[in-house]
């Protein structure tokens, strides 16, 4: 009797599930055909041929960070190489015009595009804001990116789609519904094996709250959630036809998560080293003030509080009259209200530590001002744990500052490494080691500092715009065949 009851319930349920699956497949196929039809009806160019639409998914294209420099260099590179290509940028920056965005790219990065760019302004960018998801942030933002990607696809269906900002969950959408050839440039894996180990070891960090680390139950639950998310992330990432990563550190994580080694390559981000090479390198003259400069967006993972605390410790331990005055200059971009609030919190931290008069904040400054600060600085400071690459690190080295970066990620594996057997910079891990290393750098003779600066400058040519262009074109070539 129980078996008959089970069959009478199970068989209709299976039949209904089958019907629903078939309906879903038919619906998705219909949507794909509709999008393909829409794409074919789009207008032809001057020569009668429809231009090849290459779209970049970059919701924060006006942010002014390293990721944006990659975007504009990639577009300029494609414009140089391919004549019948129109570049499209999906962005959520609706408070500015396309002309203002392009002008901002030139002002901030010294990048001038050869042809106009088509901007598709998205209305639902709030769906990928971390503040919308106080819990399950990774999953919330990833699902939000699918809805944002759907809006982008409906507004403009491209031939080639490149996710240039790390929204991997949009890749299957454009590949299977949009019928696009798809690629991505990964600055930072959305989840990494390092993040899994942080939760497994119950370490407290900016993305692992103390109330979770103190509870074995919450930690286990979060670990299961992270493993599930890592599986899904690997699944969507493996749909890519071309995968570009920005460093050896990112490569190792993406290979272990996406398992797409055949189509994955390292493309170092373009650093405007040429713009800094005209800063003369010479033995420092005696001065009454030394400056320490930090260049990075005001985001939590950049760990600006560590810079301020290490600097305060350095000032505290410096014997009066032993050294000239020291200034810490924090240069970076603010993307939104949260970033601005973060800057206000940093200013409050300066007040608490009694270093407000010695710390200067320079926000969203033009390129020429950035260059001037770097030319005058003695130390370039960088504190992000597991920084995927570190364009700011390279810029500091090219400008002739002595770099002090975190002993992890891209700086450790790719950038602050010996060049021809000679020291190019320094690495540290915590407040004490940063303060000690800064004191050590200031204690070196001006001649020794000059030697390190020259070694660093010689080492950064492999991160030039030209090197990026060559490796980027080589990587994306399969998308254009």
């Amino acid at each position: 009797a129980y078996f008959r009851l089970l069959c009478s319930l199970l068989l209709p349920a299976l039949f209904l599930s089958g019907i629903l699956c078939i309906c879903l497949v038919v619906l998705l196929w219909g949507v794909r055909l509709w999008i393909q039809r829409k794409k074919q009806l789009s207008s032809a160019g001057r020569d009668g041929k429809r231009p090849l639409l290459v779209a970049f998914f970059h919701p924060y294209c006006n942010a002014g960070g390293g990721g944006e420099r990659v975007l504009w260099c990639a577009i300029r590179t494609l414009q140089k190489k391919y004549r019948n290509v129109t570049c499209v940028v999906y962005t959520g920056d609706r408070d500015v015009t396309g002309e203002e965005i392009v002008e901002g790219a030139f002002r901030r990065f010294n990048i001038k595009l050869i042809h106009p760019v088509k901007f598709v302004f998205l209305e639902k960018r709030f769906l990928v804001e971390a503040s919308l998801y106080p819990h399950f942030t990774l999953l919330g933002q990833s699902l939000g990116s699918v809805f944002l990607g759907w809006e982008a696809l409906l507004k403009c269906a491209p031939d080639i789609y490149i996710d240039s900002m790390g929204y991997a969950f949009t890749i299957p959408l454009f590949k299977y519904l949009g019928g696009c050839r798809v690629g991505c440039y990964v600055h930072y894996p959305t989840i990494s094996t390092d993040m899994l180990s942080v939760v497994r070891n119950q370490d407290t960090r900016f993305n692992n709250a103390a109330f979770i680390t103190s509870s074995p139950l919450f930690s286990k639950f979060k670990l299961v959630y992270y493993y599930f998310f890592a599986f899904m992330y690997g699944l969507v990432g493996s749909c890519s036809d071309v995968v570009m990563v920005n460093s050896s550190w990112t490569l190792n994580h993406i290979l272990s998560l996406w398992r797409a080694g055949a189509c994955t390559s390292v493309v170092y981000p373009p650093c405007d080293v040429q713009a800094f090479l005209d800063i003369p390198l010479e033995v420092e003259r005696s001065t009454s003030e030394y400056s320490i400069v930090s260049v990075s967006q005001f985001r939590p993972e950049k760990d600006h509080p560590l810079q301020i605390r290490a600097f305060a410790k350095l000032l505290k331990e410096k014997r009066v009259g032993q050294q000239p005055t020291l200034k810490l200059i924090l240069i970076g971009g603010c993307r939104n209200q949260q970033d601005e609030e973060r800057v206000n919190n940093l200013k409050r931290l300066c007040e608490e530590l009694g270093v407000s008069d010695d710390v200067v904040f320079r926000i969203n400054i033009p390129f020429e001002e950035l260059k001037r600060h770097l030319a005058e600085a003695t130390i370039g400071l960088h504190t992000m744990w597991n920084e995927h690459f570190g364009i700011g690190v390279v810029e500091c080295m090219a400008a002739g500052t002595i770099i002090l970066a975190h002993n992890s990620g891209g700086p450790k594996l790719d950038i602050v490494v010996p060049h021809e057997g000679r020291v190019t910079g320094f690495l540290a891990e915590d407040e004490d080691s940063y303060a000690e290393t800064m004191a050590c750098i200031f204690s070196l003779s001006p001649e020794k500092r000059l030697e390190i600066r020259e070694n660093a400058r010689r080492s950064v040519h492999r991160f030039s715009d030209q090197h990026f262009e060559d490796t980027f074109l080589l990587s994306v070539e399969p998308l254009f065949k």
Side-chain angles (χ1 to χ4, degrees):
Y2 285 119
F3 179 73
R4 277 201 303 274
L5 178 65
L6 190 65
C7 285
S8 66
L9 292 172
L10 193 61
L11 289 174
L14 286 172
F15 179 73
L16 187 62
S17 299
I19 293 291
L20 287 172
C21 284
I22 291 167
C23 289
L24 183 63
V25 169
V26 170
L27 176 67
L28 292 175
W29 187 250
V31 169
R32 180 187 164 102
L33 289 176
W34 173 64
I35 289 171
Q36 293 298 308
R37 179 74 179 148
K38 199 173 158 188
K39 195 189 294 185
Q40 286 165 4
L41 293 172
S42 60
S43 58
R46 290 177 194 168
D47 56 0
K49 291 181 184 176
R50 193 181 70 83
L52 197 69
L53 285 184
V54 181
F56 291 83
F57 191 76
H58 210 104
Y60 296 91
C61 77
N62 202 37
E68 288 66 62
R69 188 164 211 289
V70 171
L71 169 71
W72 302 119
C73 272
I75 290 172
R76 184 179 63 183
T77 302
L78 292 181
Q79 289 180 343
K80 278 187 197 174
K81 170 79 174 176
Y82 298 101
R83 300 185 80 175
N84 195 39
V85 156
T86 296
C87 290
V88 177
V89 177
Y90 298 119
T91 179
D93 293 299
R94 294 165 63 230
D95 55 339
V96 286
T97 64
E99 291 78 13
E100 286 170 335
I101 293 172
V102 171
E103 195 276 324
F106 177 66
R107 188 170 53 85
R108 286 174 186 160
F109 305 120
N110 207 25
I111 295 172
K112 195 162 184 65
L113 301 180
I114 300 162
H115 304 297
V117 171
K118 180 182 175 185
F119 289 93
V120 175
F121 291 95
L122 306 175
E123 293 169 23
K124 295 183 177 64
R125 189 176 71 179
F126 67 91
L127 292 174
V128 296
E129 291 277 358
S131 57
L132 194 63
Y133 313 100
H135 306 292
F136 300 100
T137 310
L138 293 179
L139 190 60
Q141 284 183 292
S142 297
L143 292 175
S145 73
V146 175
F147 287 101
L148 190 64
W150 176 244
E151 182 193 345
L153 185 58
L154 288 183
K155 286 186 172 178
C156 177
D159 301 292
I160 294 170
Y161 171 78
I162 298 174
D163 164 41
S164 53
M165 213 181 160
Y167 292 106
F169 282 74
T170 63
I171 291 168
L173 184 72
F174 279 83
K175 182 169 186 171
Y176 299 114
L177 283 186
C180 311
R181 282 159 278 170
V182 295
C184 59
Y185 188 96
V186 184
H187 298 274
Y188 197 83
T190 305
I191 192 165
S192 67
T193 49
D194 289 322
M195 288 166 70
L196 291 169
S197 69
V198 163
V199 178
R200 198 184 303 114
N201 300 333
Q202 293 179 250
D203 293 339
T204 303
R205 289 195 184 264
F206 78 91
N207 58 353
N208 198 37
F211 80 89
I212 290 174
T213 59
S214 60
S215 165
L217 180 66
F218 281 146
S219 286
K220 282 186 175 61
F221 179 77
K222 186 168 183 178
L223 194 60
V224 169
Y225 159 57
Y226 265 21
Y227 272 114
F228 167 73
F229 185 84
F231 171 74
M232 294 301 295
Y233 182 60
L235 212 60
V236 296
S238 64
C239 298
S240 301
D241 300 314
V242 163
V243 181
M244 293 166 279
V245 296
N246 66 345
S247 69
S248 306
W249 181 86
T250 308
L251 175 71
N252 295 335
H253 287 286
I254 289 298
L255 288 179
S256 68
L257 289 163
W258 291 11
R259 304 187 186 282
C263 61
T264 305
S265 56
V266 176
V267 178
Y268 287 131
C271 306
D272 195 8
V273 295
Q274 200 58 45
F276 297 103
L277 294 180
D278 60 355
I279 295 173
L281 285 192
E282 52 193 31
V283 177
E284 303 153 27
R285 299 185 188 92
S286 58
T287 176
S288 60
E289 183 177 290
Y290 283 128
S291 65
I292 301 161
V293 168
S294 157
V295 183
S296 57
Q297 284 183 309
F298 289 100
R299 304 204 313 247
E301 63 272 23
K302 297 299 182 182
D303 206 352
H304 288 90
L306 174 56
Q307 297 179 3
I308 294 166
R309 287 196 302 270
F311 178 68
K313 194 174 185 69
L314 174 69
L315 290 184
K316 192 178 175 184
E317 293 177 356
K318 181 172 77 78
R319 284 194 288 275
V320 180
Q322 188 185 1
Q323 291 175 342
T325 310
L326 299 181
K327 282 278 183 204
L328 174 61
I329 302 170
L330 302 179
I331 299 172
C334 276
R335 302 163 299 171
N336 49 35
Q337 186 88 37
Q338 286 89 347
D339 286 357
E340 286 165 18
E341 184 54 39
R342 207 164 284 123
V343 169
N344 291 333
N345 290 337
L346 292 172
K347 287 177 179 175
R348 281 193 282 274
L349 177 62
C350 291
E351 286 170 16
E352 287 168 25
L353 296 172
V355 294
S356 291
D357 294 340
D358 305 297
V359 179
V360 179
F361 289 83
R362 304 297 296 132
I363 298 159
N364 297 333
I365 61 172
F367 180 77
E368 284 306 314
E369 190 179 340
L370 164 68
K371 190 173 167 181
R372 181 174 57 77
H373 281 299
L374 286 175
E376 293 169 357
T378 301
I379 295 176
L381 195 58
H382 192 272
T383 47
M384 180 175 168
W385 172 71
N386 269 342
E387 168 72 91
H388 35 104
F389 179 72
I391 287 180
V393 174
V394 174
E395 288 177 344
C396 286
M397 291 165 75
T401 69
I402 295 182
I403 192 67
L404 173 54
H406 199 281
N407 190 25
S408 62
K412 179 184 179 179
L413 296 176
D414 293 314
I415 306 172
V416 191
V417 294
H419 177 66
E420 297 175 355
R422 292 172 179 170
V423 174
T424 57
F426 298 87
L427 299 167
E429 290 180 7
D430 54 25
E431 189 180 315
D432 290 338
S433 59
Y434 268 99
E436 283 167 20
T437 310
M438 282 190 280
C440 174
I441 293 167
F442 284 120
S443 71
L444 296 172
S445 69
E447 290 76 20
K448 182 62 182 171
R449 283 202 289 264
L450 177 63
E451 185 187 316
I452 295 169
R453 291 158 64 206
E454 286 173 340
N455 293 341
R457 180 173 275 191
R458 279 194 291 270
S459 75
V460 297
H461 287 285
R462 62 212 159 100
F463 306 123
S464 65
D465 284 4
Q466 188 54 54
H467 191 264
F468 169 81
E469 289 182 10
D470 295 341
T471 51
F472 178 77
L473 286 174
L474 204 61
S475 298
V476 297
E477 200 176 346
L479 298 177
F480 289 84
K481 286 178 178 174

